[in-house]
Amino acid sequence: MEGDATRFMRLALSLAARAKGRTAPNPMVGAVVVQRGRLVGQGYHRRAGGPHAEVAALRQAGPRARGATLFVTLEPCNHVGRTPPCCEAVIRSGVKTVVVASRDPNPLTNGRGFARLRRAGLQVRSGLLKAEARQLNASFEKVMTHGLPFVTAKVGQSLDGKIATATGQSRWITSERSRQYAHALRRDVDAVLVGVNTVLRDDPRLSVRAMRPRAGHPVKVVLDSRLRTPIFARCLSARPAAPTLIATTTRAPRAKGRALERRGATLLWFRADRQGRVPLRPLLRALARRGVQSVLIEGGGEVLASAFGQRLVDRAVWCISPLLLGGREAPSSLGGAGIDRLTKAIRLEDVRVRRFGIDLCVEGCVRYPGTRQAKAA
C-alpha cells in the first residue's frame, strides 16, 4: 500500500508541475482521488484565481469521492481568498482520508487546514514526498517565510569567465541551444532583472521568444540608479505586453523619470545605498509585495556580485562556451571586490551538469559560507 501511496503522490506532483510559472502568487498544487486503489479523479491548480487542485480533482471524481483517499501536494487551505476554502470542499465530498505531502507555509493556512479536516473526522497523513513538494514550491515558500522572491542567477560566459569582449561585444558568446534554455528559464519565472549597463550594451528585449509565455510575464526589471535607460530601449516595447519596472534612486533626474513613464515604464524609487546604487534587498521585497515569487538575474557582473554578496541568490545557472576571450578590461561574470580567502567561497550543491550543443551548463543550489546546507531549489 505504501508503494501505491507514493505512486499516487508522484502523480499529484507531476500534475502540479504542469503549471510551472503560471500560478503566482499562488503555489503549484496537484491532487488525485483514489477509490479502492483506482484513480477516479485528478486535477491541478492552473492559474491564480482558477479552481484549486483539490476542487478540480473532486469535481472529476464526483460521487466516487465518497469514502476515497485524496492525495494532495500541499495542505488544503482553510481561508477565503479568490476562491472558497478547499477544506470545506474536501469535507463536503465525503472523502475518508487525506494524504498531504507538505504543510502550507502561508501563515493563513499553516496547520489550520489539517486541524479543520481532523475536526470534521477525516484521517490526515502528512509528509509523504515532503522534500519533493517543498522543492516544487521553493519560490512560494521563500516569499511566505522571508518576504523575498526565489532568485536564480544566470550567466552566459566564455571558458575564461568573460561575458563580453574588451570592446563590449557579447552577441553571441553561448550557443543557440543555451539561449533557448535561457528563454525557458524566463518563461518559468515572474520577473527578469538586469542592470542598466546590460541595457546600454545589449539593448535586450528581456522577453520570451520561441515559446509561448503567459500574458504579461515575465515582468522586466532594470536597475538604473541614475536613469540612464534610453527612451527607446527595446525593453520598454509594449510587445509582448509585459510591464517594465525601472528601479532607481531619489538622486536620479525626475524629468527623465517622467519621460520613461510616458514610454510605459513604471518607476520604483529607493534611497540609494552607500555606493549610490539601488538597494537590492528592499527592491526584492517590493517585488514580492507585487506578487513576484521568482526572479531571474541575467547580469551584469556588478549586479550579480552584489546579489551574491548580500546572500540573495538561491540558485545559479552558468552556461559556459568553449571560447577564450582574455583581456583585463573584458567584463567578467562576477565583478565586485571578490574574496580574499577560499574559506569565504560561495559553493554550489546538488550540482547538475548538462550539454547544450558545444556549451556546458552547470547549475545548483547556492550555499554561502557558514551555512550548513543549500537553500531549497
Side-chain angles (χ1 to χ4, degrees), residues 19-26 46-48 185-191 208 211-219 240-243 291-295:
K20 187 174 184 180
R22 300 180 183 275
T23 61
N26 293 346
R46 296 172 181 267
R47 57 177 179 82
L185 292 173
R186 287 183 184 180
R187 178 196 59 198
D188 290 340
V189 298
D190 299 323
V208 176
M211 55 190 71
R212 185 178 180 181
R214 54 185 165 140
H217 285 76
V219 175
V292 172
Q293 291 185 356
S294 54
V295 174

Side-chain angles (χ1 to χ4, degrees), residues 160-183:
D160 56 341
K162 304 297 183 180
I163 58 174
T165 66
T167 60
Q169 185 181 3
S170 60
R171 293 186 176 181
W172 296 104
I173 288 178
T174 55
S175 68
E176 174 64 25
R177 287 182 60 187
S178 291
R179 297 196 296 276
Q180 289 174 358
Y181 183 54
H183 282 282

